[in-house]
Amino acid sequence: MSRPATTTSRPISGKRCWRPSGRPWSRRGGFRRFRAHDLRHTFAIRWLQKGGKLWPLSFHLGHTNIKTTEYYVQWLREHPRG
């Protein structure tokens, strides 16, 4: 997979996505304690569930250490899909 183009060529972060949660739109949608940063976690988990490789994921997330990205592999082992 290639890296998605952004205007600044930096990894996407919650601050650059939209406003923090706690806004009326998140409550109306039934989300509790939802943060834009949670989208990064969802993206990483889905990437790995679909067979994506760890190194490209680390690059997309902007991690400088692969150990940081390995957190998601451990999370998947502890929370297998039923």
Side-chain angles (χ1 to χ4, degrees), residues 12-27:
I12 297 171
S13 69
K15 291 178 184 174
R16 291 175 46 214
C17 286
W18 61 66
R19 297 178 189 166
S21 68
R23 304 284 184 204
W25 62 265
S26 64
R27 286 190 290 263

Side-chain angles (χ1 to χ4, degrees), residues 32-63:
R32 291 180 46 202
R33 301 186 70 205
F34 175 81
R35 304 166 299 159
H37 188 79
D38 294 336
L39 294 175
R40 285 176 54 91
H41 297 302
T42 301
F43 170 78
I45 294 297
R46 299 293 168 112
W47 174 286
L48 294 172
Q49 285 174 335
K50 296 194 179 280
K53 304 295 182 197
L54 200 59
W55 282 104
L57 176 60
S58 181
F59 176 77
H60 285 297
L61 296 176
H63 294 160

